[in-house]
Amino acid sequence: MCVMSEPSSAKLIVYSPTDDSCTERESQDHGGDSKKLRRREKNRIAAQRSRKKQTQKADQLHEEYEKLEQENTALKREIRKLGEEVKHLSEALKDHERLCPLIHCAVNFVTMPRPHPDVLASCLPRDGQSEVS
């Protein structure tokens, strides 16, 4: 058996039953061991806090990403809808321009202040007349 201790040095020889050998280990006083254990425990807790904080930040970023993706999808849908509306209104305007007597009226080509409504009325079709001459 290998349990020997040297009183003059701080070494302790310990028998290991698993591999039938003797090893030397430095012996430390109990104050140093408890201080080391407290430091390790404090570090372990700090590491847990850090990992938790990192996970929370990743979760927050993921939530923000999903929110922005939804917002982006909604904005693309709105752009598509507004584009369709522009197309529809442009077609309606083209149809109206072909038929509108005010566009073809000579009063509109003069660079003067807007004429009196009575003058504009002369450009409008009267009851019983066709809209296109």
Side-chain angles (χ1 to χ4, degrees):
M1 189 171 197
C2 263
V3 177
M4 299 168 59
S5 178
E6 297 177 28
S8 61
S9 72
K11 291 188 180 185
L12 176 68
I13 301 173
V14 180
Y15 173 72
S16 175
T18 57
D19 61 1
D20 291 331
S21 65
C22 293
T23 58
E24 283 187 10
R25 254 192 291 164
E26 290 290 329
S27 171
Q28 297 178 350
D29 61 276
H30 290 291
D33 282 344
S34 64
K35 190 175 182 180
K36 189 174 182 179
L37 288 175
R38 282 194 306 266
R39 192 174 73 238
R40 281 186 181 173
E41 178 67 14
K42 191 175 179 181
N43 184 275
R44 185 183 65 79
I45 292 169
Q48 284 177 338
R49 268 196 316 262
S50 176
R51 285 189 293 272
K52 184 177 180 181
K53 188 176 177 181
Q54 188 176 11
T55 302
Q56 287 173 340
K57 185 170 183 167
D59 290 345
Q60 180 185 7
L61 286 173
H62 184 72
E63 287 175 12
E64 185 178 352
Y65 166 80
E66 287 181 346
K67 177 185 163 198
L68 290 172
E69 280 291 321
Q70 290 175 353
E71 186 178 339
N72 191 25
T73 302
L75 289 171
K76 284 180 180 179
R77 192 178 312 119
E78 185 176 355
I79 288 170
R80 191 171 44 253
K81 180 183 168 190
L82 290 172
E84 291 170 3
E85 186 178 351
V86 165
K87 183 179 176 184
H88 171 73
L89 291 173
S90 294
E91 289 173 5
L93 181 60
K94 284 180 187 177
D95 291 342
H96 176 76
E97 285 175 344
R98 285 187 287 128
L99 302 174
C100 182
L102 292 177
I103 292 175
H104 302 293
C105 181
V107 174
N108 286 335
F109 297 113
V110 178
T111 56
M112 295 172 60
R114 197 81 175 136
H116 192 272
D118 293 337
V119 175
L120 286 178
S122 67
C123 292
L124 295 174
R126 292 184 180 78
D127 291 331
Q129 291 181 348
S130 68
E131 292 185 13
V132 179
S133 314

